[in-house]
Amino acid sequence: MNRLLRFVLTAAVALPAWLWPAAARALEPVTLQLKWTHAFQFAGYYAAKELGYYRDAGLDVTLVEGSPSADPVRNVLSGQAQYGVATSSLLLARQAGQPVVALAVIFQHSPAVLITPAGGAGRSLRGLLGKRVMIEAQSDELLAYLALDGVTAGRFVRVEHNDRPQDLVEGKVDAISAYVTTEPYYFDQAKFAYQIYTPRTAGIDFYGDNLFTTEAEIRAHPGRAKAFRDASLRGWQYAMAHPQQIAELIRSRYSSAHSLDFYLSEAAAMAPLLRTDLIEVGYMNPLRWRHIADTYVSLGQLPRDFSLQGFLYQPDPKLDLSWLGSALGLLAAISALAAYIFRINRRLATALDDSKRAGRALRDSEERHRLLTDHASDLIWTMDLDGRFTYLSPSAEKLLGYRAAELLPQTLAATLAPTSAAIATTGLQGLIAAIRAGGPVPAFRHELEYTHKQGGTVWTEATVTGMRNGAGHYTGLLGVTRDISERRLIEERIRHLAQHDMLTGLPNRALFSDRLQLALAGARRDHRQLALLFIDLDLFKPVNDQLGHRTGDLLLQDVAQRLLDCVRESDSAARVGGDEFVVLLRSIDNAEAALGVAEKIRHSLSRPYLVASHALRISASIGVALFPEHGGDEIELSKHADIAMYRAKRAGHDRVQLYQGG
């Protein structure tokens, strides 16, 4: 037998190279494009390379350092790299037709922030209007954050990022994009007082530093993609458990640009963003990706029908053992008896190992899911097919003020506001009916308004699907309820910005036009008069020229407030140009009444102003046109009010002029 086994082993050594497992073949070269310069931010990849995890997976990995202007998506799509690290803007790339695929999430919360000198932007980002902001490429979440406060493209001076936080200290820029894990270290060392603005305060909570590849890579090399992902995540687990060792490795092998203390500080700041204590590194939640996509939708950067189909990587659980079949076939031809012994021993060992691994995996999975549900910020619940709750996660108390035990005896409808209760009842009844009919079971997804224990309501987004047991039979419903109160406020704010002047808060030209047309329709129906006032400020340009646009903006805000103080709530005032305003008086008795309101406005606007320590005086020229006497539609009425205003200006400013015809 020993002689026979020696013969078998000798023959096996002579097998062609393609029949050997991956670890015994030549290593496959692949490239990973990092998104920034070498730092602990990429610790897991250094660990996977230096500890041999990539080598064990049959890969020879080259790590390419990024730069402030690097575009990992472009480099991966062009073939310069097979894998890359990028922000959640991968969704925008996907929508643009670039076939990127998210392999794993490293940062559960993005570290991207904006930093200004202490007090530099004030209480909101509006303080950055007209200021110099050094911001790196691929900073969509920060640009969206700025836009929510009205600091849109063109309203601030964008400076290309040069990776020099010292520029903020020296006053060369007014704000910089940064990572909360790195730049604060520099400023603390320099004893520089700074202020951090994070998008998470505005409900923009994105994933950060996502590992990605392309559809073509997964299609052509599925085994390689899985091996690269698994080895990388193994490296991340090790790196976060051994920060001192990996920090020393980075300094000795990759970059000595920073001190060891810097890398350790970065590692400590990363821990609450990765949350490896609660969530397995690399974990991706499809609902969280959907929430990120919905945030882009609310900002107008993605269409409402954007699909995640194909974007999230689904590793193939099947192992490629074709080489083993070929090898065993060849060995069987050499010696049937040796192959038989080999297979039996291998099966016994594998079965024992699989049994142990399965038991450990089941316990780990149960513990992981318990941690995820017990610590989830979303409310996770299950319900039987009679509509009774069977489980509610502890987050119920944070979301609704009720402990889970208080809600369990109630129906879902009893926890909702009346309108939402009707929607939810209809939706759940439809799901349960589909389950009992044995047909397709669609998911129910809707925005629902819950009542809070302390009063008031909470807006949520609920996703409900059928829940199966191990045999594949439906046993109830699984629901995930997410607080979207902040998102609804953001959406409402975006709608407001689309219809209102950003500086004064007054309606803009589009909204005023809608209101004027509605008022005209009502006036025709009720056979009553209305008046349109065109207002142009006198002597406003010298204020801008001599004291600057900031003072001019403050003056316009005071003008807007004085206009509102002069009209009724049923009337409307709007800003339609730089220093041009209009007022709609929805119902007037006669021309004298309209002229009386116009004189009240003229007198109010001519009173002195105190703006930014400057005592200022301006006046206004006001033109008045009446419906139906001076026009039967919006265009005609507006034209005649405008003519009357210019006649008031030519007559010497600071006066009211009723349209006279001609």
Side-chain angles (χ1 to χ4, degrees):
M1 180 62 72
N2 290 337
R3 184 176 301 170
L4 177 60
L5 288 176
R6 282 198 300 272
F7 174 74
V8 171
L9 292 175
T10 302
V13 171
L15 288 175
W18 61 271
L19 287 177
W20 284 91
R25 298 200 300 267
L27 301 180
E28 289 188 75
V30 295
T31 298
L32 171 64
Q33 175 65 61
L34 307 179
K35 66 185 290 286
W36 198 253
T37 55
H38 288 306
F40 203 92
Q41 176 184 351
F42 309 112
Y45 308 116
Y46 307 135
K49 182 175 177 66
E50 302 301 331
L51 295 174
Y53 298 162
Y54 287 137
R55 184 177 62 252
D56 293 346
L59 302 174
D60 179 13
V61 176
T62 299
L63 304 178
V64 177
E65 187 176 23
S67 68
S69 59
D71 186 347
V73 172
R74 182 185 61 223
N75 291 351
V76 171
L77 289 172
S78 67
Q80 297 178 49
Q82 289 73 45
Y83 303 92
V85 180
T87 67
S88 293
S89 61
L90 286 169
L91 290 169
L92 302 182
R94 181 86 182 182
Q95 171 61 22
Q98 299 170 340
V100 292
V101 178
L103 289 174
V105 165
I106 306 303
F107 286 75
Q108 292 295 318
H109 302 289
S110 171
V113 295
L114 287 165
I115 299 181
T116 69
R123 298 176 62 184
S124 75
L125 293 176
R126 286 188 62 81
L128 294 178
L129 286 168
K131 299 294 183 65
R132 301 158 300 173
V133 181
M134 185 164 70
I135 192 164
E136 65 186 277
Q138 314 301 319
S139 294
D140 302 283
E141 63 193 289
L142 296 179
L143 294 174
Y145 182 31
L146 285 165
L148 286 179
D149 263 346
V151 190
T152 52
R155 304 197 74 193
F156 66 95
V157 180
R158 182 164 181 170
V159 179
E160 184 176 351
H161 212 295
N162 60 14
D163 197 21
R164 280 193 80 251
Q166 187 66 20
D167 282 5
L168 186 68
V169 178
E170 296 172 356
K172 295 180 180 178
V173 293
D174 301 296
I176 64 170
S177 65
Y179 265 21
V180 73
T181 54
T182 54
E183 277 77 4
Y185 178 89
Y186 295 116
F187 299 137
D188 290 339
Q189 294 295 307
K191 297 185 175 5
F192 174 70
Y194 58 92
Q195 185 166 350
I196 294 177
Y197 296 86
T198 171
R200 292 169 67 183
T201 61
I204 303 176
D205 187 7
F206 286 6
Y207 282 140
D209 279 24
N210 306 289
L211 183 62
F212 75 97
T213 188
T214 62
E215 291 180 352
E217 170 69 9
I218 294 175
R219 188 166 50 249
H221 306 285
R224 183 168 79 182
K226 184 178 187 304
F228 180 81
R229 177 184 185 274
D230 291 348
S232 297
L233 298 184
R234 186 181 173 194
W236 271 108
Q237 288 284 10
Y238 187 92
M240 295 309 293
H242 304 85
Q244 177 82 27
Q245 178 184 345
I246 301 304
E248 292 172 354
L249 168 68
I250 294 171
R251 254 188 73 77
S252 64
R253 296 293 300 273
Y254 290 92
S255 174
S256 59
H258 308 292
S259 67
L260 181 62
D261 183 61
F262 168 82
Y263 291 125
L264 291 174
S265 172
E266 184 184 5
M270 283 169 52
L273 300 177
L274 272 69
R275 294 316 304 261
T276 55
D277 55 333
L278 291 178
I279 299 174
E280 185 176 9
V281 66
Y283 173 72
M284 297 192 295
N285 185 339
L287 292 178
R288 179 89 178 279
W289 274 113
R290 169 51 57 192
H291 172 67
I292 295 171
D294 288 345
T295 300
Y296 277 127
V297 169
S298 69
L299 295 169
Q301 295 178 280
L302 283 180
R304 290 193 174 275
D305 60 352
F306 176 78
S307 173
L308 294 175
Q309 185 69 33
F311 175 69
L312 302 181
Y313 175 65
Q314 297 292 334
D316 184 0
K318 296 180 181 179
L319 295 176
D320 180 9
L321 296 178
S322 58
W323 66 270
L324 180 59
S326 300
L328 290 177
L330 183 58
L331 291 175
I334 300 171
S335 173
L337 178 59
Y340 175 76
I341 296 172
F342 176 77
R343 286 198 301 271
I344 292 299
N345 287 335
R346 184 181 179 88
R347 287 174 182 173
L348 288 173
T350 300
L352 182 59
D353 288 345
D354 286 348
S355 177
K356 291 178 179 178
R357 281 197 297 270
R360 288 195 299 269
L362 179 59
R363 290 192 297 273
D364 291 346
S365 177
E366 290 174 346
E367 178 65 12
R368 185 180 305 119
H369 283 87
R370 185 188 67 79
L371 284 171
L372 285 172
T373 55
D374 286 355
H375 295 276
S377 57
D378 295 342
L379 172 59
I380 301 171
W381 50 270
T382 59
M383 179 179 287
D384 62 24
L385 294 180
D386 293 323
R388 293 187 298 261
F389 285 121
T390 54
Y391 170 79
L392 286 147
S393 64
S395 50
E397 187 167 5
K398 181 179 179 181
L399 180 66
L400 304 175
Y402 295 95
R403 290 181 292 105
E406 295 179 89
L407 293 175
L408 274 173
Q410 302 187 41
T411 62
L412 178 61
T415 66
L416 295 166
T419 302
S420 292
I423 294 171
T425 299
T426 302
L428 296 190
Q429 287 176 346
L431 276 179
I432 294 171
I435 289 172
R436 288 176 171 161
V441 179
F444 169 78
R445 185 178 183 186
H446 216 285
E447 293 185 0
L448 301 175
E449 187 179 14
Y450 279 82
T451 57
H452 196 279
K453 185 176 183 178
Q454 304 303 324
T457 60
V458 179
W459 275 101
T460 69
E461 181 180 73
T463 302
V464 188
T465 57
M467 183 172 61
R468 301 174 187 261
N469 60 16
H473 302 130
Y474 284 105
T475 58
L477 304 176
L478 170 66
V480 178
T481 300
R482 166 165 293 168
D483 186 351
I484 60 168
S485 302
E486 287 188 8
R487 191 182 86 193
R488 285 181 67 93
L489 288 175
I490 291 171
E491 291 172 348
E492 181 60 34
R493 188 172 183 182
I494 291 172
R495 285 193 291 270
H496 179 85
L497 289 175
Q499 296 183 318
H500 291 78
D501 173 54
M502 201 170 296
L503 177 64
T504 64
L506 294 177
N508 60 17
R509 187 185 296 273
L511 179 57
F512 185 83
S513 176
D514 289 344
R515 291 183 177 180
L516 177 56
Q517 291 184 44
L518 288 173
L520 286 169
R524 293 189 195 98
R525 182 186 63 246
D526 300 335
H527 304 289
R528 54 180 169 79
Q529 287 184 298
L530 61 78
L532 182 63
L533 281 58
F534 261 44
I535 304 165
D536 188 89
L537 301 182
D538 307 320
L539 306 176
F540 176 75
K541 189 174 184 300
V543 174
N544 259 352
D545 292 344
Q546 298 170 19
L547 301 178
H549 289 282
R550 175 61 177 163
T551 301
D553 287 349
L554 294 173
L555 177 58
L556 289 174
Q557 291 173 348
D558 281 357
V559 167
Q561 186 56 54
R562 293 190 186 189
L563 278 178
L564 292 174
D565 292 341
C566 291
V567 299
R568 301 165 298 187
E569 287 188 10
S570 59
D571 300 326
S572 291
R575 182 187 178 206
V576 294
D579 59 351
E580 296 178 339
F581 298 83
V582 289
V583 170
L584 166 65
L585 305 178
R586 290 180 179 273
S587 178
I588 57 169
D589 295 330
N590 47 48
E592 287 73 19
L595 291 173
V597 175
E599 282 292 345
K600 180 180 178 183
I601 291 173
R602 184 194 66 78
H603 175 73
S604 176
L605 298 184
S606 65
R607 288 188 288 108
Y609 297 80
L610 182 62
V611 178
S613 302
H614 299 287
L616 305 174
R617 293 200 72 124
I618 60 171
S619 59
S621 298
I622 305 176
V624 182
L626 309 177
F627 170 85
E629 182 179 347
H630 299 144
D633 57 32
E634 178 186 3
I635 295 175
E636 191 176 13
L637 200 62
S638 299
K639 174 184 174 182
H640 291 158
D642 192 43
I643 290 172
M645 181 272 292
Y646 276 106
R647 287 175 179 170
K649 267 197 180 301
R650 287 196 296 270
H653 304 297
D654 194 20
R655 63 184 61 220
V656 174
Q657 177 70 52
L658 181 67
Y659 178 70
Q660 299 296 334

